[in-house]
Amino acid sequence: MASTQFAYRTQKAIGVVNGPPTYEALQGFKRPEGNLRCCTYSPDGKWFAWATQEDVKVVLAETGEIETTLPAAGVHEIGFSPRGSYIITWERPSKQEDGNASKNLKVWKTETAEPVTAFVQKSQVGWNLQYTYDEKYCARAVTNTIQFFEPENMSTVWNHLRVEGVTEFALSPGKNYSIAVFIAERKGAPAIVRTYTVPDFTNPTSQKSFFKADKITMTWNDLGTQVLILTQTDVDKTGMNYYGETNLYLMSAAGNFDCRVTLDKDGPIHDVTWSPNSKEFGVVYGSTPAKTTIFDLRANVIHSLPLGPRNTIKFSPHGRFVIVAGFGNMQGQMDIYDRERNMTKITTIEASNSSVCEWSPDGQHILTATTSPRLRVDNGVKIWHFSGPLVYLEELNELYNVLWRPQPVTEFPLGNPFGGTVVPHASAATHKSTTTPLKPAGAYRPPHARGSVTPLHFKREDEGGASHSYLNGNAPNPLSNLGKPRRRDVPGAAPADKPADNAAPLASPTEDGAGLSKAALKNKKKREAAKKAKELAQQQQQQGGAAPQGQAQGQNGAPAAQLTVDGKPVPTGPSSERQGRDGNRNHRGDRSRSRNNHDSPHRGGPGQNGPPQARRSKSRNNDPNAPAGAQNNKHQRGQSGDVRNHLPSQSSNNGANPQTSAPASQSPSSGPSGPALAPTAATPKANSASPAPGLTLTVPTGVAGPLSPIPGTPSTTEEKKLRGLHKKLRAIEDLKMRLAAGEKLEDTQMKKIATEDGVKRELEMFGGL
């Protein structure tokens, strides 16, 4: 039975080791040391080559003996043709003495080290030539052209495929000579992938166009009949993925089928790979926890595996087993599935910090490695049996590369993989005996939440948590609910879906004022008091009654009410702080006049059954001929504290008409707080209606004086003039204080200060100074 083999490259050496069951170093191989930049096997497994600073060494992989040496210095990349007949090297681009670029891509014959040809290849991405499976043709891409050569005669171009805008191509590995080319998006036109048959380049055999394709990866199946196209954008405009948006397409080389592969989970596509039988492929996709699905040649779902933190899928060389793993920033768990047993899960292997994962050619062992520079500690090689146990371990310092020797599966018949006994190497047994298994720590939980059930919103989707979703490219905030109070959740504690039987019910902010601030509670009480006052006013209006005589009258005879709720007075006018700021400016009724000195129906005047507003526009045209009744109403509004919720006016006249609104001096009766208006046609006789429950009406007291009239007393033109002059004088004093403090005033303000003497003279004329 043939033996497997793997090679590794560290910072200072290269080693070749035989695989299971011996795990011994290759006897005839002399380990090179020094600055070794790269190493690789030929696809057929016959040759093994590595590059030093001076040359390239080629050895027989079976024996380890050096077969030939290529005189190529400074090589950074090495490649082989499919059958190992040719070796290709790539060096960094440089210029010759004449200023021309040097030919840094060179082709050699492997056995004789004879140079075949050389090209200028500036980019290291896609640097290598692509060969057909039998090495009959090879191809390379230049500007807008794919050049084809015959390996035996590479001095001239055998044929070429001219495609405007072509950036990448993939030659089929199958027996049918097919090629897929990619044309990127340009000037609003979509990206295109076309397939051609070599050498018939007249018409494409199939074509697929699509948008959102800044980058592309084309993967043929082993038979060369179908190709998978993985597209990616640099930026995801929906904001769902930081690394761009990905899509997957399937095309057949014959042109009889093409489609977009439908993936039922939002998020990026992590990995795509063909099965060795070329009849199915696996995809790992979606936001973490990702979903893994196996599709057939028509992109129909065959198997869907459970969700989990996974981003890698690999089929064994025989196609019997499948690895679904999570590497990189994940924990390194590998799930092994048996394809022939309806994707039954065999085991889960913990390979933490792994950056390399490959099946061995025998289809029963898995090689994992931790390499530099991704992780510079714990570097080494581990080999696992597919059933779970570790069978080999070798720790290495700064490991850069490790790879299996390619060998055909015909040399390793699978038989019954579950029948044999797994015998681990001594290194694995020693590691197992000296290593204490670490207990999974899990996520941090605060002390008060330890030992309790994990809430659903802290669990992954594969653990029973809520599914991951986005809204317009942004994750919704679960703590906000359209301004509603958020529910208090303790991280790490079980969700309180149902309160305990003896627990007190949670009070809503709208019930009994619980959860409200002081200002919100105060406004709430005002609204309730205003609502009760409105209900009482409507009740009195329906009964057709007026305020009882003997009470202080408000607007048009309506009583000025002091509102109390549950025996406590509720302020309905301006707050004491506002009154303190206003000083003597509590007579605000003079601001409710319009330009023609009529009460505005929108300001709660006689023409509207509604309260006057707390803030009113200043009068610009004080008509001295206005009726006393209208002026009286104005003073009553100012004295009553600008109550925002008054009883509605009994008058339906929009203007202050003296014929319909009698002056207060005609009142034949007065109450304990001052005179009251007698019932007129505009003010019907009051009906003794009882107040609503919980609402008390009290009469405020006033202070007599020329600037503070008692409700019900007439307001003359002289008093109004005096108030205006006093107001002007206060404004002038304020400006003088600002000017004395060094503040720069405007011209209009300076002119206003100059009118101080005139204002004082007018006050002396009226006797108000």
Side-chain angles (χ1 to χ4, degrees):
M1 182 179 178
S3 175
T4 59
Q5 183 185 106
F6 68 90
Y8 62 84
R9 179 177 65 91
T10 64
Q11 183 184 17
K12 298 181 179 180
I14 288 179
V16 179
V17 181
N18 290 324
T22 60
Y23 302 104
E24 295 178 353
L26 186 62
Q27 294 294 332
F29 181 75
K30 295 180 180 180
R31 293 184 54 177
E33 295 182 358
N35 187 5
L36 309 172
R37 294 177 176 174
C38 57
C39 66
T40 187
Y41 283 99
S42 62
D44 61 347
K46 181 180 180 180
W47 309 103
F48 177 70
W50 70 91
T52 66
Q53 292 182 347
E54 297 80 16
D55 52 24
V56 176
K57 304 291 185 181
V58 181
V59 301
L60 289 170
E62 188 69 27
T63 61
E65 297 179 356
I66 295 178
E67 181 70 16
T68 185
T69 300
L70 305 180
V75 172
H76 285 75
E77 297 285 354
I78 300 176
F80 283 91
S81 60
R83 295 184 176 180
S85 302
Y86 301 93
I87 183 172
I88 305 97
T89 62
W90 182 86
E91 307 165 10
R92 287 190 181 276
S94 61
K95 289 186 178 181
Q96 300 177 353
E97 296 179 355
D98 56 0
N100 296 326
S102 62
K103 296 182 178 181
N104 58 328
L105 179 64
K106 300 176 182 179
V107 182
W108 315 73
K109 286 188 177 180
T110 306
E111 294 183 355
T112 63
E114 177 184 353
V116 177
T117 188
F119 304 98
V120 176
Q121 178 67 34
K122 295 182 179 180
S123 176
Q124 192 174 1
V125 178
W127 65 272
N128 200 3
L129 301 178
Q130 296 189 29
Y131 286 80
T132 58
Y133 78 100
D134 55 359
E135 298 182 353
K136 185 176 181 180
Y137 305 111
C138 66
R140 66 184 297 261
V142 295
T143 305
N144 298 329
T145 303
I146 307 297
Q147 295 178 344
F148 286 85
F149 300 88
E150 292 177 331
E152 295 294 337
N153 182 20
M154 297 190 67
S155 58
T156 58
V157 177
W158 170 74
N159 205 338
H160 66 273
L161 171 61
R162 176 74 179 181
V163 180
E164 188 70 23
V166 61
T167 57
E168 294 186 32
F169 74 99
L171 205 57
S172 166
K175 296 183 178 181
N176 54 329
Y177 302 143
S178 298
I179 184 174
V181 296
F182 170 68
I183 302 98
E185 299 180 37
R186 187 175 60 174
K187 297 181 180 180
I192 302 175
V193 171
R194 297 172 182 167
T195 60
Y196 296 87
T197 300
V198 181
D200 183 12
F201 301 140
T202 306
N203 296 314
T205 56
S206 63
Q207 176 174 309
K208 182 70 175 178
S209 60
F210 38 77
F211 288 96
K212 300 180 181 179
D214 298 331
K215 301 177 183 177
I216 189 170
T217 302
M218 295 178 287
T219 307
W220 287 93
N221 59 1
D222 291 343
L223 295 179
T225 57
Q226 289 190 314
V227 58
L228 283 170
I229 305 165
L230 176 62
T231 64
Q232 182 178 358
T233 59
D234 295 331
V235 178
D236 186 1
K237 295 182 180 180
T238 63
M240 298 177 62
N241 185 24
Y242 176 80
Y243 298 99
E245 183 177 355
T246 54
N247 292 287
L248 184 63
Y249 302 88
L250 178 63
M251 288 179 58
S252 97
N256 54 5
F257 179 78
D258 67 81
C259 73
R260 176 180 176 179
V261 181
T262 303
L263 306 176
D264 56 355
K265 184 175 176 61
D266 294 335
I269 299 174
H270 305 287
D271 195 15
V272 180
T273 186
W274 281 101
S275 172
N277 60 17
S278 298
K279 296 180 181 179
E280 57 193 23
F281 60 93
V283 186
V284 183
Y285 59 95
S287 54
T288 306
K291 187 173 184 179
T292 304
T293 305
I294 309 296
F295 297 89
D296 62 8
L297 289 178
R298 296 290 175 176
N300 298 317
V301 177
I302 300 177
H303 293 284
S304 290
L305 302 181
L307 301 179
R310 304 291 183 262
N311 58 8
T312 304
I313 180 171
K314 291 183 177 294
F315 289 86
S316 66
H318 300 82
R320 172 73 183 269
F321 305 112
V322 183
I323 295 177
V324 180
F327 298 120
N329 59 346
M330 298 183 181
Q331 296 180 356
Q333 295 179 337
M334 299 188 299
D335 297 331
I336 315 298
Y337 294 90
D338 191 347
R339 181 69 186 83
E340 294 185 1
R341 296 185 178 181
N342 197 24
M343 295 299 290
T344 302
K345 184 177 179 179
I346 300 174
T347 186
T348 297
I349 300 175
E350 298 287 343
S352 60
N353 299 328
S354 297
S355 52
V356 176
C357 176
E358 296 292 342
W359 279 101
S360 70
D362 63 4
Q364 299 189 36
H365 295 84
I366 305 164
L367 182 147
T368 62
T370 303
T371 60
S372 296
R374 184 187 179 277
L375 194 63
R376 297 186 180 275
V377 295
D378 298 334
N379 285 187
V381 178
K382 294 180 181 179
I383 297 180
W384 312 77
H385 192 263
F386 76 92
S387 59
L390 177 67
V391 295
Y392 178 75
L393 170 66
E394 183 175 359
E395 296 181 354
L396 299 168
N397 184 27
E398 291 196 36
L399 176 64
Y400 290 109
N401 191 19
V402 60
L403 65 162
W404 287 105
R405 174 191 175 192
Q407 293 173 274
V409 295
T410 54
E411 296 183 6
F412 304 95
L414 192 60
N416 182 14
F418 297 95
T421 303
V422 179
V423 180
H425 187 258
S427 60
T430 303
H431 175 75
K432 183 177 181 180
S433 61
T434 57
T435 304
T436 302
L438 297 177
K439 183 179 179 181
Y444 171 79
R445 306 183 74 179
H448 67 274
R450 294 171 185 171
S452 59
V453 180
T454 304
L456 296 181
H457 57 272
F458 285 117
K459 291 184 178 181
R460 295 197 307 262
E461 188 175 353
D462 58 316
E463 296 175 345
S467 59
H468 185 79
S469 61
Y470 291 96
L471 182 63
N472 295 329
N474 296 318
N477 183 7
L479 300 180
S480 61
N481 189 14
L482 298 178
K484 297 181 180 180
R486 63 183 183 181
R487 178 179 175 181
R488 183 176 182 270
D489 293 323
V490 179
D497 296 334
K498 183 179 180 181
D501 297 336
N502 57 351
L506 296 177
S508 172
T510 58
E511 299 175 1
D512 301 330
L516 293 178
S517 63
K518 292 182 179 180
L521 185 59
K522 181 179 179 181
N523 293 335
K524 177 175 177 290
K525 291 181 177 180
K526 286 184 179 181
R527 289 193 297 269
E528 292 176 351
K531 183 178 179 181
K532 292 182 179 181
K534 184 177 180 181
E535 292 175 355
L536 176 61
Q538 292 176 353
Q539 182 180 1
Q540 290 183 349
Q541 186 177 12
Q542 291 174 0
Q543 295 176 359
Q549 297 184 3
Q551 292 184 348
Q553 300 295 318
Q555 179 179 332
N556 290 339
Q562 170 65 39
L563 305 179
T564 62
V565 179
D566 298 331
K568 297 181 180 181
V570 178
T572 57
S575 63
S576 59
E577 294 83 359
R578 177 62 183 268
Q579 293 176 359
R581 291 194 301 267
D582 291 344
N584 295 328
R585 295 166 60 188
N586 56 354
H587 302 285
R588 310 174 77 141
D590 57 344
R591 302 182 187 179
S592 63
R593 295 291 183 182
S594 62
R595 295 178 181 269
N596 56 5
N597 203 23
H598 286 181
D599 288 336
S600 173
H602 300 286
R603 292 289 184 177
Q608 178 172 336
N609 295 334
Q613 301 298 324
R615 297 181 181 268
R616 297 175 175 84
S617 61
K618 183 178 179 180
S619 175
R620 299 186 181 180
N621 185 15
N622 296 326
D623 188 359
N625 298 324
Q631 296 177 3
N632 184 32
N633 293 338
K634 174 183 63 178
H635 291 301
Q636 291 167 0
R637 288 194 298 270
Q639 181 66 19
S640 60
D642 289 345
V643 179
R644 297 180 183 177
N645 294 279
H646 290 274
L647 297 180
S649 172
Q650 302 295 331
S651 173
S652 60
N653 192 356
N654 292 336
N657 193 340
Q659 297 179 0
T660 59
S661 179
S665 58
Q666 299 176 3
S667 176
S669 61
S670 61
S673 299
L677 290 175
T680 62
T683 57
K685 189 174 182 179
N687 186 14
S688 58
S690 61
L695 181 65
T696 305
L697 300 179
T698 61
V699 180
T701 60
V703 180
L707 301 181
S708 300
I710 300 175
T713 60
S715 176
T716 64
T717 305
E718 290 79 7
E719 294 175 351
K720 183 176 180 181
K721 185 68 173 179
L722 283 174
R723 287 194 299 273
L725 293 174
H726 278 290
K727 182 177 179 181
K728 288 182 180 181
L729 193 60
R730 287 196 301 270
I732 292 172
E733 293 294 335
D734 182 57
L735 290 175
K736 290 171 65 177
M737 293 178 63
R738 290 167 59 186
L739 182 62
E743 183 177 349
K744 186 177 180 181
L745 302 180
E746 299 179 358
D747 294 339
T748 55
Q749 294 174 327
M750 296 298 296
K751 292 179 180 179
K752 190 171 185 178
I753 294 177
T755 61
E756 180 180 9
D757 295 337
V759 175
K760 289 183 177 180
R761 284 196 297 269
E762 292 187 43
L763 283 173
E764 291 177 356
M765 292 173 58
F766 285 97
L769 186 60

